[in-house]
Amino acid sequence: MVLKIFFPQCCNTADSGLLVGHWIPGHNSAVVLAVIHYPFIPGQVKKYLSELQSQTQVDLTVLGSWSMPKEGKEGMDSFLKDLSTIFPQKCWLQLSREIGKRGFICQVVQNNGKLLQDREQKNGDESSEGDKIILIHYDQRKVMLSQLHPVQDVSQKSDIEPSELRLVFQTVAQSQPLFFLDKYDDGPLKLTHWQSEGREASIIAELLKQASVPVCIFLTWLLSLWHWFCMVLKMLFISSKLSTCVQSGYRAVHFKTVFSPKKAATHMEFMRKANIFVSFLLDIALGLLLISWLYRENRISKLADTLVPVADRVAKELQELLEWLMGAPAGLKMNRALDQVLGRFFLYHIHLWSSYIHLMSPFIERILWYVGLSACLGLTFALSVLSDIVALLTFHIYCFYVYGARLYCLKIYGLSSLWRLFRGKKWNVLRQRVDSCSYDLDQLFIGTLLFTILLFLLPTTALYYLVFTLLRLVVVLFQGVIHLSVDFINSFHLFAIGLRICRPYRLAEGVKFKVLCQEPGTPLHLMMEINPLKCSSVLQCYRTPTYSCYPKDSWAALCKKLFVGELIYPWKQKTDKTD
């Protein structure tokens, strides 16, 4: 039998007294939490432990006695050994230190009075069979504040029993009321354990907590009012298309989470709130830096003066591209009539867009001035507004893409239907499959005529579709980079990363043991150290879920849509209905 005793380092030099702790159920292990100093009254000790049990929900008991050699207290050992009759236990631990020795002497007395002694401290033979005692020293503060991973949800019942190490961490963590005592409290009992800063240091924090409750309730009410206002104005359609509306709705959900007056019930919920709050502060700080850069040295006016010439330059390049397509692009022989119709149609749209830009040019500087103020809400809002501005400035490219894709898709589906007609097949709409069908001579003649017309007109349409699809993909790629930046700021868990760097013991992946002392006549002493969680595991475990701008389809499905001419909407979710 191996008896493991987890002993806190802070109690190594404690005065003689009683060991207070908890026996791990189902395991032959004991966790020492504190030492009650002599003198004490047994009735007060029992009352104090019962009060702590109601607060911590941990079965705290007197595990045994602790003897520290001091002058004038030579008879303390025998007195403490006799206390096992007042505090009956299955096993009574008797730990004592000797002058000049680093290790402890440990004896275990069973309830039948039999003395269990470590075989190694008797004869020093490691190969001898029998009882063995291992003293595991641990840092009480680090174990109390750390969280073992993977995190187990206490609210969910699991058939798998927690490990012994996890039970030790849970016991120390649930015993926080034992450690958070007043440093200068003159109570009837004197204890040694990890000493917190006391209640006096937390008065300001408690006052801030009480003052934050009405503020959080008021902010939650404002956020609920905002959602109700959006529903009344029926802005749901706009909010799914504009990046600014999506980001504002996303931040509203974040604020409801952070400013909720309810306390975080689990570790993951607490980390999520902390990550959201720190990412929000980082977002605001970056937004203020952007504002200080924009409104310095008259950069808004310079940007407005540059925007109109750039738009004219883009319109001129598109006009030259269309004129090139209306001729013989790359030596290709196009359908002259269709080529002229499509080219003039798109040139007319470019003329309308250039007129619109010049009509808005006197107001662009004022618009940019007010738009720049959105950065005070955070850099993500400024980037979302930039994405919407890019979408508005390239709206003519989007129109070209839609016209070309619809025309190309119509020809592709027409050719596929007529190809089935040649083979004596047809598409069964009810059964969603291809069935055999017999056609008469007139149907075959008309089908052959239409197939020939569509086939010879396809290269001209496909060339326009290819060019405008590439232009559209360039715009989508630029907006995708912006959305990735917004998504990164929203989901970046800066609090978890900072916790991993500054206090790595807070996020524990496991423990490691090293031999601390192995003296003859004393049990084996081990030191338990915490292994911090890997940075990659931190990034994977504490990522904040976002609306995500990543493609919802696979690359194969995306290429298929581009080939058949289906429209690609980056903002579409998988659950959205498609045309």
Side-chain angles (χ1 to χ4, degrees), residues 287-298:
L288 294 178
L289 288 177
L290 180 62
I291 287 179
S292 64
W293 181 82
L294 280 177
Y295 292 92
R296 191 183 303 171
E297 298 178 2
N298 202 18

Side-chain angles (χ1 to χ4, degrees), residues 62 115 152 308 423 432 470 507:
V62 177
L115 179 64
Q152 291 183 354
V308 176
R423 295 183 297 135
Q432 293 293 310
L470 292 177
L507 306 177

Side-chain angles (χ1 to χ4, degrees), residues 42 287 459 464 550 556:
Y464 276 89
Y550 306 111

Side-chain angles (χ1 to χ4, degrees), residues 460-514:
T460 305
T461 308
L463 183 61
Y464 276 89
Y465 168 71
L466 177 62
V467 172
F468 294 135
T469 301
L470 292 177
L471 292 176
R472 174 61 181 165
L473 289 179
V474 171
V475 177
V476 169
L477 181 62
F478 181 73
Q479 287 183 302
V481 173
I482 297 176
H483 291 165
L484 282 175
S485 304
V486 174
D487 186 70
F488 177 77
I489 297 175
N490 286 331
S491 62
F492 186 64
H493 23 271
L494 185 62
F495 178 78
I497 295 296
L499 206 61
R500 171 61 180 82
I501 296 174
C502 300
R503 294 186 177 182
Y505 60 86
R506 292 289 300 270
L507 306 177
E509 191 177 23
V511 297
K512 60 182 178 181
F513 299 93
K514 67 177 184 180

Side-chain angles (χ1 to χ4, degrees), residues 380-397:
T380 55
F381 275 90
L383 292 177
S384 300
V385 171
L386 176 62
S387 177
D388 293 334
I389 291 176
V390 170
L392 291 175
L393 292 178
T394 59
F395 185 70
H396 54 305
I397 297 178

Side-chain angles (χ1 to χ4, degrees), residues 114-392:
K114 184 180 178 181
L115 179 64
L116 292 179
Q117 204 169 14
D118 192 1
R119 299 302 183 192
E120 291 188 11
Q121 73 180 24
K122 260 191 168 184
N123 48 31
D125 186 8
E126 296 183 1
S127 62
S128 61
E129 298 180 357
D131 305 322
K132 186 176 182 180
I133 301 174
I134 300 178
L135 272 168
I136 302 174
H137 298 260
Y138 69 95
D139 192 324
Q140 202 167 52
R141 176 175 175 269
K142 291 183 178 180
V143 173
M144 181 190 67
L145 297 178
S146 62
Q147 178 66 46
L148 275 179
H149 293 73
V151 180
Q152 291 183 354
D153 194 355
V154 182
S155 60
Q156 296 180 355
K157 294 183 179 179
S158 177
D159 297 334
I160 303 176
E161 295 183 359
S163 61
E164 179 184 4
L165 183 63
R166 194 174 292 274
L167 291 175
V168 172
F169 274 69
Q170 289 178 1
T171 300
V172 179
Q174 292 176 3
S175 303
Q176 284 191 9
L178 174 64
F179 309 133
F180 285 89
L181 296 176
D182 193 350
K183 187 183 295 186
Y184 306 101
D185 186 12
D186 295 331
L189 299 177
K190 297 294 183 181
L191 293 90
T192 294
H193 47 68
W194 171 73
Q195 181 61 61
S196 66
E197 295 180 355
R199 292 193 182 94
E200 287 87 353
S202 62
I203 290 177
I204 299 178
E206 291 296 329
L207 290 177
L208 290 176
K209 287 179 182 179
Q210 294 180 8
S212 64
V213 172
V215 176
C216 292
I217 294 175
F218 177 71
L219 291 175
T220 305
W221 178 78
L222 287 180
L223 293 172
S224 302
L225 187 63
W226 166 256
H227 281 286
W228 176 81
F229 182 72
C230 292
M231 291 292 293
V232 171
L233 296 181
K234 297 181 180 180
M235 296 180 63
L236 295 179
F237 178 79
I238 300 177
S239 63
S240 63
K241 301 298 181 290
L242 295 179
S243 301
T244 308
C245 295
V246 172
Q247 177 62 18
S248 61
Y250 185 67
R251 277 302 182 196
V253 175
H254 273 183
F255 289 157
K256 290 183 68 175
T257 303
V258 173
F259 297 119
S260 175
K262 295 181 181 179
K263 186 179 179 181
T266 60
H267 170 75
M268 296 300 296
E269 186 178 351
F270 166 76
M271 292 296 292
R272 183 170 182 267
K273 282 188 174 183
N275 285 325
I276 290 174
F277 184 71
V278 175
S279 66
F280 171 69
L281 294 181
L282 176 65
D283 189 17
I284 293 295
L286 294 176
L288 294 178
L289 288 177
L290 180 62
I291 287 179
S292 64
W293 181 82
L294 280 177
Y295 292 92
R296 191 183 303 171
E297 298 178 2
N298 202 18
R299 288 190 174 94
I300 293 289
S301 300
K302 296 178 181 178
L303 184 61
D305 295 337
T306 308
L307 192 59
V308 176
V310 168
D312 290 337
R313 179 67 178 175
V314 172
K316 184 178 179 181
E317 293 291 339
L318 284 176
Q319 185 176 355
E320 293 177 356
L321 177 63
L322 287 172
E323 291 175 355
W324 179 71
L325 290 176
M326 291 172 65
L332 297 176
K333 187 175 182 181
M334 312 295 291
N335 185 280
R336 182 75 177 172
L338 181 61
D339 192 14
Q340 292 295 321
V341 169
L342 292 178
R344 291 174 181 175
F345 177 73
F346 292 131
L347 284 175
Y348 179 68
H349 277 73
I350 293 178
H351 174 70
L352 289 179
W353 185 252
S354 300
S355 302
Y356 171 71
I357 291 294
H358 286 282
L359 182 64
M360 293 293 296
S361 58
F363 310 100
I364 288 180
E365 181 178 354
R366 185 170 296 274
I367 292 174
L368 290 179
W369 197 89
Y370 287 109
V371 166
L373 293 178
S374 65
C376 65
L377 300 176
L379 181 62
T380 55
F381 275 90
L383 292 177
S384 300
V385 171
L386 176 62
S387 177
D388 293 334
I389 291 176
V390 170
L392 291 175

